[in-house]
Amino acid sequence: MLTKELLIGLLAMASCYSTAASNYNKNDALSIDKAITQDIDFQFPNDANIYPDVSDFEVINYVTMSNEQGARRVTVTLHNSSSGNRIFVSDQIMALFANGDRLSTVETKVTFKGRETQTLTLNFGDHHYPILKVYTQQ
């Protein structure tokens, strides 16, 4: 009796997995963008004076990712240069896009210990142009 119930449960689970797998769209998958030298100094005009909020965080390195629908994500390693605990929030980092747009990440809040380094994956929304640079302001 238990075996029959177990078999029915396993079949139901397999059916759910098959349905979820068929909803997967390979175009939604992120790909790593071609790497560019991270110390390039771009000179797009910034007439609106858009900058990240001043913080104790510095970008150590990053990898940009995107998909065919224009989703833009960045896996970034950040270092808290302060000896005290700090909370990293969205407005403390910015991405520069290939058309000169500057945008902060989608709502993010992460706690760092003093002098701690962490790697995060941040969502910069959807955009037609690729991300050229990710930066903070100390």
Side-chain angles (χ1 to χ4, degrees):
M1 194 71 158
L2 182 59
T3 306
K4 184 177 178 181
E5 290 173 352
L6 181 61
L7 181 60
I8 291 171
L10 289 173
L11 287 173
M13 287 173 49
S15 173
C16 289
Y17 175 76
S18 174
T19 301
S22 68
N23 289 334
Y24 170 76
N25 181 349
K26 68 180 179 180
N27 293 332
D28 291 338
L30 295 169
S31 297
I32 294 175
D33 297 333
K34 183 178 177 182
I36 59 172
T37 304
Q38 294 185 13
D39 61 354
I40 294 175
D41 189 21
F42 297 99
Q43 296 298 317
F44 289 104
N46 190 359
D47 297 335
N49 291 321
I50 301 171
Y51 298 99
D53 289 351
V54 174
S55 71
D56 290 317
F57 296 102
E58 61 182 301
V59 174
I60 303 301
N61 57 55
Y62 60 89
V63 175
T64 61
M65 299 171 287
S66 62
N67 66 20
E68 291 182 16
Q69 286 69 43
R72 306 294 172 195
R73 309 289 186 274
V74 175
T75 298
V76 60
T77 301
L78 293 172
H79 175 72
N80 172 12
S81 59
S82 169
S83 59
N85 293 351
R86 295 290 183 264
I87 298 174
F88 169 77
V89 294
S90 306
D91 294 337
Q92 295 171 330
I93 195 165
M94 194 158 279
L96 175 65
F97 289 82
N99 67 340
D101 286 352
R102 292 163 169 84
L103 298 172
S104 289
T105 183
V106 173
E107 189 66 29
T108 303
K109 189 175 186 178
V110 180
T111 302
F112 281 71
K113 295 177 182 170
R115 307 263 186 245
E116 182 178 17
T117 301
Q118 290 188 44
T119 300
L120 312 170
T121 299
L122 304 175
N123 179 355
F124 284 89
D126 294 348
H127 202 283
H128 289 289
Y129 288 89
I131 294 172
L132 298 177
K133 186 174 186 173
V134 177
Y135 56 99
T136 58
Q137 179 174 255
Q138 291 188 304

